[in-house]
Amino acid sequence: MDDRHFRNAMGKFATGVTVVAVEVEGSVHGMTANAFMSVSLSPKLVVVSISERAQMLEKLNQSGKFSVNILSRSQQDLSMIFAGQQKNQQEVKFERLGEVPVLTGAVAQIACEVSAAHVEGDHTLFIGRVTDIHIEELEPLIYFSGKYRALAEE
């Protein structure tokens, strides 16, 4: 199978949209990611998958701490900014949750410390030990088959 066919098949799995954020030497860096999942309840662990080509890979290795911001329905613009899909970059304001930068208005903000990193194929899987969480009662941003979506009530 070719790469496009594989990507199309993976796009059939509806996901939430996250922005992974780190701070290195006083500068905040973010990256849109939908390769995120919870791993364990005890201890509380999550995983994010970062491409070997992503600038975030080096930043996350340097920082050792990161946040996962599960975006709300109203934050599609932030997803596009951190995916490099918007050329006219607006300044993004970050707050703090513990020692990491987080995005205001996210459905959930999850602060983590890197507990392990595993290189698999052309990605590194970062296991994060969750150190803090903040939750808002908002509608999530969904991504399916290459398009942003919203939940529909039945």
Side-chain angles (χ1 to χ4, degrees):
M1 81 193 82
D2 66 14
D3 289 353
R4 174 52 43 203
H5 190 61
F6 180 78
R7 288 179 65 102
N8 288 345
M10 296 303 103
K12 297 300 180 186
F13 182 66
T15 66
V17 182
T18 72
V19 168
V20 176
V22 301
E23 185 173 19
V24 176
E25 297 176 0
S27 294
V28 177
H29 306 273
M31 180 193 87
T32 299
N34 66 350
F36 159 75
M37 68 177 198
S38 63
V39 174
S40 170
L41 186 58
S42 182
K44 292 167 181 56
L45 301 172
V46 297
V47 65
V48 294
S49 179
I50 310 293
S51 171
E52 67 185 12
R53 296 184 316 269
Q55 295 176 2
M56 179 60 74
L57 183 64
E58 180 184 336
K59 304 292 185 199
L60 216 157
N61 277 320
Q62 289 176 321
S63 174
K65 296 176 184 167
F66 64 97
S67 69
V68 178
N69 300 271
I70 301 173
L71 299 186
S72 67
R73 183 176 178 179
S74 66
Q75 293 180 307
Q76 180 178 331
D77 59 332
L78 290 177
S79 172
M80 295 175 74
I81 288 169
F82 289 108
Q85 296 171 338
Q86 282 192 357
K87 300 301 177 207
N88 54 345
Q89 297 260 349
Q90 62 198 44
E91 185 171 338
V92 176
K93 301 276 189 215
F94 287 89
E95 291 184 345
R96 298 197 74 74
L97 181 62
E99 298 181 16
V100 295
V102 293
L103 289 168
T104 305
V107 171
Q109 304 164 332
I110 305 164
C112 303
E113 293 178 351
V114 174
S115 117
H118 304 278
V119 176
E120 294 294 336
D122 60 1
H123 280 64
T124 298
L125 306 175
F126 287 92
I127 309 294
R129 184 179 62 77
V130 177
T131 58
D132 205 352
I133 291 178
H134 178 78
I135 299 172
E136 295 287 340
E137 292 301 322
L138 300 167
E139 290 293 314
L141 182 62
I142 306 295
Y143 199 72
F144 173 76
S145 206
K147 295 180 182 169
Y148 292 100
R149 312 285 177 126
L151 290 179
E153 302 239 359
E154 290 191 19

